[in-house]
Amino acid sequence: MSAAIETVDLVKTFGHTKALDGLSLTVKEGEVHGFLGPNGAGKTTTLRCLLGLLRADSGSATVLGRDTWRDAVELHRHLAYVPGDVSLWPNLTGGEVIDLLGRLRGGLNGQRRAELIEIFDLDPTKKSRAYSKGNKQKVALIAALASDVELLLLDEPTAGLDPLMESMFRTLILEWRGEGRSVLLSSHILSEAEALSDRLSIIREGRIVETGTLEQMRHLRRTSVTAHLRATPVGIDALTGVHEVVVEGTHLTCQVDAEALDGLLPLLSTFGIEAIVTQPPSLEQLFLQHYGQAST
Amino acid sequence: MNRFAGTLTLTRFALRRDRVLLPVWIVIFPLLTVSSASATVALYPDEASRIIAASAINDVPVAIAMYGRIWDPTSLGALSLLKLAAMGGVMIGILAIMLVTRHARAEEEKGRTELIGSAVVGRWAGLSAAVIVTCTAMVAIGALSAVGLTAVGLPAAGSWAFGLAWATTGMAFAAIAAITNQLTVSARAANAMAMIILAVAYLLRAVGDISSDESSPSVLSWFSPIGWGQQVRPYAGDRFAVLFLPLVFTAVALWAAFLLESRRDLGGGLLPDRAGRGTAAPSLASPLALAWRLQYPMLVGWLAAYVILSGIVGSIVNDLSGMLDTPEARRMVAALGGTDVMLDAFTAMEFAMIAFVTAAYGIVAARRLATEESDGHAEPVLATSVSRTSYLVSHLLVALVGTALLALAQGASFGLATAAQTGSMDRVGATVAASLSYLPAIWLMTGLVILLFGFVPRLTFLAWVLLVGFFLVAEIGALLEWPQWVMDTSPFAHMPKLPAAEMAWTPLVVLTILSAALMAVGAWRFRQRDLDTP
Ligand SMILES: Nc1ncnc2c1ncn2[C@@H]1O[C@H](COP(=O)(O)OP(=O)(O)O)[C@@H](O)[C@H]1O
Ligand SMILES: [Mg+2]
C-alpha cells in the first residue's frame, strides 16, 4: 500500500518554541491512523503543516502524493479538515456553512448531507452564533463527511460532542474507512484513538516516539487497579507484570500490565473483594510511565 | 446575589485591557483641541478680525450645517472651537460607543462574559464596568481639554463649559450604546445601530441650526445630544444649566439599559435572531461570494448614509445663492469670483473631507481579512481548495468596489440634489468626477492595509493611525503651519481638488500604480507566510 501521508524530519519553530522537532509520520492509504499526544505536543501544528497553512522550517511533507505547500490548492480538493477549535461566521446558518465549505472543496454529496444532518440531529437553519461548541463541531464534521474526498484530517473532533454523538461519530468513521478512505485522527484521549485506529502514532514534544498497531503497543497498556478487600492482601508484588503496589490496610492500588490481569484477579479474590475499580491509564500517565526518564 | 457584584474587578480588568489604547485617546482629544485653539488664537488677534471671520461662517448655511453657529461673534473661544464642537461631538460620540460595545457586547459575543458570569459576578457587572470605564474616559477628556484651553489663554469658565459639554455628550452616547448593546446579538450590529443614532443626532442639529435665528436654534437641535453640547455655548454665554439635559438623559437611558439587560438571556439580544435558510444560496460558492455575503450589509448601510447625507449637503450648498440676499454679501461673493466659483470651492472642500470617510470604509473592508484570520474563519476556507491569492482578492475587491460605489453615490447624490433645485443637470458630471477623483488616494490606504496584512496582520490598525494623521494634515496642517514636506506625505494632499481646480492626471496615475504595487507586495507576502491562528 502507498502512503496517504508521509512526513520526513518536519521541523517547525515559533520564536523560541520548537513545536515540531523532526517529525516523521506515515499514514497508509485506507487506514484510520490515531495521532496521540498530550496537550501542546504538536498535533495541531502537524495538521496545519499538512494543510499548507503553516510552512515548515525544514523537512518534507507529502499528502496523497502531493507537496503540502506548493500543491495545496489542488491537494485540498481531495481532503477534508475539521479543526479542533471550530469557529464559524456568526451570521451564517449551519446549513449555509456546510454548503459553502463543501462547494469550496469542489462539491458535496447532497443525499449524504441530509443523512448526516439527520444522524447528528442538527438544526441547519440556526445562525452559527446560536450554536453550542458541540453543534459547531457537528457543522464542521458534516461538511467534511459529506464531501467525496479520499482523506480526512480530524483535530480532536469529539471534544465537544456528548457520548451519544461520540458513538455516532465512531460508527461514521468506521463506515468511512470501510469505503477504503483514510483518516488521520488527532486526540489526547487514548481510549478514543484505540477504539477507531488501525495504527497509532504517539507524539511528544514535536517528535513521534512510538508508532505501530495496537498489538505492537500492548506494552503501553497498564491498567490501574484499586480494590477494597476483606483481608489485608499479601504477596501481590511478587506477581510478574504488577507494578507500584501500595497497600494501606485492606486497601490496594497497583498498575497492571494487560497480560498480568489474569493472574491478579484470582489472587485478589482469595482475600475477598468488596469493591474493585480498574481504569485504563490516561495518556499523561502513560508518558510518565514510559518516557519519564527520557525527558529528565 | 447582588447584581452589581464584581463590578470593581471587571472595571479593573477592562482598564488593564485598555491600558495603552485608552490613555492614547484620552490624550489625543485634548491635544487636538488645544492645538487647534492655539492656532486660531494667533490668527485673530483683534475683535474686528473675529467678527469678520464669524460672520463668514454665520452667513453660510453649509458652514452652519456642518459646524453650527457662532453665538457670540466677538468671542475668540467660540470661533476657535467651532469645528470641535459639532465634529468633536461626533468623534467623542464614536469613541464612547466603541468603548461601551468593546467591553460589553463584544465580550459577551466572544463568550468571555459566560466564563466570568460563572464566577462571583453579578448580572449587571459587565455593563456597569463598560459604562464606568467609558464615562471616566469622557470626564478625563473633558477635564484635560478644559485645563489645556485655559492654559493657552482662553477664559476658564468657557473652557470648562466646553470640556463638560464634550464629556456629557460622550456620556449620552455611552448610554445610547448601552441600550443598543442589549438589543442586538452581535457587537457589529450594536455599534452600527448606535452610529446611526449618532448620525441622526448630527443631522437633527444641522437642520435645526440652519433654521435658527440670531438668538436661538429651532427646536430640532434640542432633540440631539450633539445639539445640547453646542447649546451650552462655551465662551458665548457659558450656559452650564444646559448640561443637565445630557446628564438626565444619560441617567434615564442607563436605567433603561439595565432594565433591558435583566430581561434577556446571556448572549441573547432583545431583537430575536430569525431562523435562516437551511441550505446556502446557489451563488454562495466562491471566496468572493463569501466576502460579499459577509460585507454587503455594512456596504448597503454606508451607501444609504452616503446618498442621504450627500443629498442633504448638496441641496444646502445650492441654497447658498438664495441666502445671499444682503448687498454686502453679494459684493463679497462677487469679489471672490461669483457664486459658481464659491459653489465649486465649497464642493471641493466638502468632497476633500468625505474622501477621508470613504477611505475609512476601504480600511474597514480590507481589514476584514485580518479579523477573519484572527477569528479563525480563514483557516477552514484556506483548508479547502481556495488559493491564498483568491482569498485575499475576494475581500480586496469588496474594498475597492465598495469605495468606488461610495464615491459614485456621493458625487451623484450631491449633484442630483443640486440639479433638483436649479433644474439643470450641468453640475452632476462635475460632482461625480470630483468625488471619483479621490479614489487613487483612497485606494492607497486600502493598499496599505493589504501590505500590512501580508507582513504582520496584527498591525493593520496602523492604516487607521495614518489616516487620522493625513486627516489632521488636511484639516489643521495649514493652520498650524506645518512644514511642506509633512503636508506632502498625505496622498490626499496631491489630489486635484475638483471641481474648484483643474484636473491633474499625473498624481492620480502615480497613486493608482503605487497602490497596486502595495497590494501586489502584500498579496505576494501573504502567499509566503504562516496563517495566524486565534
Ligand atoms: N502560532 C503559534 N505561535 C507560537 N507558539 C505556538 C503556535 N502554535 C503552537 N504553538 C506552540 O507549539 C506547541 C505545540 O502546539 P500544538 O500543535 O497546538 O499542540 P497540540 O495540538 O498537540 O495540543 C505548543 O507549545 C504551542 O504553545
Ligand atoms: Mg491542538
Side-chain angles (χ1 to χ4, degrees):
Chain A
M1 255 194 285
S2 59
I5 297 175
E6 174 105 57
T7 78
V8 180
D9 275 340
L10 221 48
V11 174
K12 179 71 196 172
T13 47
F14 297 106
H16 294 295
T17 320
K18 208 160 202 177
L20 299 184
D21 186 10
L23 181 119
S24 299
L25 172 74
T26 307
V27 175
K28 294 177 190 165
E29 226 161 67
E31 75 175 359
V32 176
H33 195 102
F35 188 37
L36 275 167
N39 291 321
K43 300 182 295 294
T44 302
T45 306
T46 306
L47 289 175
R48 289 193 172 129
C49 283
L50 291 177
L51 285 159
L53 298 173
L54 299 180
R55 188 175 202 171
D57 303 341
S58 65
S60 75
T62 48
V63 172
L64 303 173
R66 295 177 181 84
D67 185 274
T68 54
W69 182 262
R70 270 183 291 116
D71 308 330
V73 175
E74 174 52 27
L75 168 61
H76 294 172
R77 249 180 247 292
H78 305 279
L79 61 80
Y81 166 58
V82 177
D85 204 351
V86 180
S87 141
L88 307 174
W89 300 274
N91 276 331
L92 267 59
T93 64
E96 285 180 304
V97 173
I98 292 171
D99 287 342
L100 172 71
L101 292 179
R103 289 170 188 170
L104 292 180
R105 201 175 283 130
L108 206 68
N109 181 335
Q111 192 195 338
R112 185 107 183 96
R113 175 190 188 276
E115 283 168 16
L116 287 164
I117 286 179
E118 182 86 6
I119 291 174
F120 278 118
D121 191 24
L122 179 84
D123 177 359
T125 65
K126 262 196 185 173
K127 295 270 168 76
S128 297
R129 70 164 71 90
Y131 285 136
S132 63
K133 178 170 162 52
N135 278 334
K136 284 182 189 158
Q137 212 137 20
K138 287 180 193 173
V139 169
L141 273 171
I142 294 171
L145 290 168
S147 305
D148 284 319
V149 294
E150 297 155 46
L151 171 69
L152 270 185
L153 298 177
L154 307 174
D155 195 3
E156 311 203 7
T158 58
L161 297 185
D162 58 44
L164 185 67
M165 290 303 151
E166 208 178 317
S167 85
M168 292 289 181
F169 166 76
R170 290 184 186 188
T171 317
L172 286 165
I173 292 299
L174 293 177
E175 257 175 41
W176 178 276
R177 187 193 54 179
E179 295 163 14
R181 307 195 263 192
S182 333
V183 181
L184 178 62
L185 170 73
S186 116
S187 178
H188 69 271
I189 307 160
L190 185 62
S191 61
E192 172 178 283
E194 269 186 357
L196 289 171
S197 310
D198 302 305
R199 293 198 314 139
L200 293 169
S201 286
I202 294 179
I203 178 177
R204 175 166 180 265
E205 292 178 3
R207 303 173 141 273
I208 300 292
V209 289
E210 277 292 331
T211 194
T213 64
L214 267 179
E215 282 306 313
Q216 291 163 343
M217 287 204 201
R218 267 276 184 255
H219 71 282
L220 291 178
R221 307 222 45 199
R222 237 178 229 185
T223 307
S224 128
V225 173
T226 307
H228 282 283
L229 306 167
R230 293 209 180 82
T232 306
V234 286
I236 305 287
D237 24 6
L239 289 172
T240 50
V242 178
H243 313 265
E244 296 173 49
V245 178
V246 179
V247 178
E248 283 167 6
T250 59
H251 185 95
L252 164 87
T253 62
C254 58
Q255 309 294 326
V256 189
D257 289 343
E259 311 80 66
L261 277 171
D262 271 351
L264 176 67
L265 289 181
L267 181 60
L268 286 185
S269 65
T270 62
F271 302 102
I273 300 175
E274 275 191 343
I276 185 163
V277 178
T278 64
Q279 244 175 352
S282 73
L283 204 59
E284 278 74 6
Q285 273 176 318
L286 250 175
F287 284 118
L288 288 177
Q289 277 174 29
H290 293 272
Y291 307 103
Q293 298 90 330
S295 69
T296 50
Chain B
M1 190 169 69
N2 176 358
R3 283 188 280 198
F4 286 108
T7 301
L8 214 63
T9 320
L10 289 192
T11 307
R12 242 184 272 129
F13 178 68
L15 287 175
R16 218 192 107 63
R17 257 186 85 207
D18 276 355
R19 65 191 176 282
V20 180
L21 218 57
L22 207 53
V24 167
W25 288 122
I26 290 179
V27 170
I28 278 182
F29 273 82
L31 268 185
L32 189 65
T33 323
V34 170
S35 59
S36 125
S38 63
T40 327
V41 168
L43 274 183
Y44 304 104
D46 56 40
E47 204 173 289
S49 62
R50 293 202 286 271
I51 293 178
I52 293 175
S55 57
I57 287 157
N58 280 348
D59 289 347
V60 179
V62 204
I64 295 182
M66 262 156 76
Y67 304 125
R69 195 178 266 280
I70 294 180
W71 296 102
D72 176 359
T74 63
S75 159
L76 182 58
L79 182 62
S80 352
L81 291 167
L82 176 71
K83 281 193 182 180
L84 286 172
M87 296 299 205
V90 171
M91 292 200 295
I92 208 164
I94 292 176
L95 178 64
I97 291 169
M98 302 271 244
L99 275 176
V100 168
T101 304
R102 175 177 160 79
H103 291 294
R105 180 52 76 173
E107 285 291 282
E108 193 165 337
E109 197 181 14
K110 290 201 178 107
R112 276 187 223 148
T113 315
E114 206 171 335
L115 273 180
I116 294 166
S118 51
V120 194
V121 169
R123 166 108 234 193
W124 286 349
L127 184 60
S128 308
V131 169
I132 290 174
V133 167
T134 309
C135 289
T136 311
M138 295 302 124
V139 170
I141 288 173
L144 276 179
S145 303
V147 171
L149 289 172
T150 317
V152 294
L154 289 171
S159 302
W160 279 98
F162 179 86
L164 291 175
W166 252 20
T168 51
T169 305
M171 284 158 77
F173 282 107
I176 288 172
I179 292 182
T180 64
N181 267 258
Q182 308 313 312
L183 300 180
T184 70
V185 177
S186 82
R188 229 179 266 272
N191 266 337
M193 202 185 279
M195 298 285 182
I196 289 172
I197 298 176
L198 177 81
V200 170
Y202 180 77
L203 274 183
L204 275 178
R205 63 131 287 281
V207 179
D209 286 2
I210 297 176
S211 33
S212 66
D213 55 40
E214 297 289 292
S215 60
S216 65
S218 100
V219 71
L220 281 180
S221 300
W222 290 104
F223 282 103
S224 160
I226 297 174
W228 298 335
Q230 291 177 307
Q231 293 311 318
V232 173
R233 300 191 187 174
Y235 308 106
D238 299 332
R239 307 195 291 183
F240 284 98
V242 176
L243 290 171
F244 280 107
L245 269 172
L247 284 178
V248 169
F249 173 85
T250 304
V252 173
L254 281 179
W255 173 75
F258 281 106
L259 215 63
L260 291 172
E261 155 79 68
S262 359
R263 287 175 180 231
R264 65 181 182 88
D265 298 329
L266 190 60
L270 284 167
L271 302 179
D273 233 4
R274 279 166 294 133
R277 35 190 316 151
T279 55
S283 58
L284 188 59
S286 66
L288 184 59
L290 173 64
W292 175 248
R293 171 69 207 270
L294 295 174
Q295 297 225 30
Y296 86 83
M298 187 174 75
L299 180 58
V300 168
W302 277 69
L303 277 171
Y306 260 53
V307 168
I308 296 171
L309 289 176
S310 300
I312 292 174
V313 178
S315 55
I316 294 171
V317 167
N318 193 63
D319 263 359
L320 186 68
S321 28
M323 288 290 197
L324 297 171
D325 44 8
T326 62
E328 308 92 80
R330 264 195 227 111
R331 226 174 298 125
M332 193 174 86
V333 168
L336 287 171
T339 37
D340 271 0
V341 173
M342 289 276 288
L343 223 66
D344 284 345
F346 279 122
T347 310
M349 208 175 75
E350 124 85 21
F351 280 30
M353 202 158 83
I354 298 297
F356 285 99
V357 185
T358 312
Y361 170 81
I363 292 179
V364 173
R367 277 195 77 206
R368 190 67 191 250
L369 280 167
T371 53
E372 284 288 290
E373 183 174 355
S374 66
D375 287 348
H377 296 157
E379 179 171 317
V381 173
L382 290 171
T384 68
S385 88
V386 168
S387 72
R388 296 270 180 114
T389 310
S390 59
Y391 183 70
L392 179 137
V393 167
S394 66
H395 285 282
L396 174 57
L397 266 182
V398 173
L400 295 180
V401 173
T403 46
L405 284 177
L406 286 172
L408 187 66
Q410 189 230 339
S413 171
F414 188 100
L416 289 173
T418 316
Q421 300 205 326
T422 58
S424 131
M425 300 284 282
D426 284 356
R427 296 183 59 79
V428 179
T431 52
V432 169
S435 66
L436 291 182
S437 73
Y438 280 97
L439 282 176
I442 291 166
W443 286 342
L444 192 78
M445 302 309 294
T446 312
L448 228 108
V449 175
I450 300 295
L451 183 76
L452 288 164
F453 172 71
F455 283 86
V456 199
R458 273 166 228 283
L459 293 187
T460 48
F461 76 89
L462 286 178
W464 279 119
V465 175
L466 276 174
L467 186 72
V468 170
F470 295 153
F471 181 71
L472 292 183
V473 164
E475 284 290 295
I476 59 174
L479 206 61
L480 298 185
E481 293 176 357
W482 284 349
Q484 191 57 40
W485 69 265
V486 174
M487 312 282 278
D488 283 344
T489 54
S490 167
F492 296 88
H494 301 284
M495 297 294 98
K497 301 186 181 46
L498 299 179
E502 287 293 304
M503 181 63 178
W505 285 103
T506 320
L508 301 192
V509 173
V510 170
L511 282 192
T512 307
I513 293 174
L514 199 58
S515 46
L518 293 183
M519 291 168 198
V521 174
W524 164 80
R525 179 58 202 157
F526 178 54
R527 291 177 64 91
Q528 312 297 317
R529 73 165 165 84
D530 286 348
L531 196 70
D532 249 8
T533 45

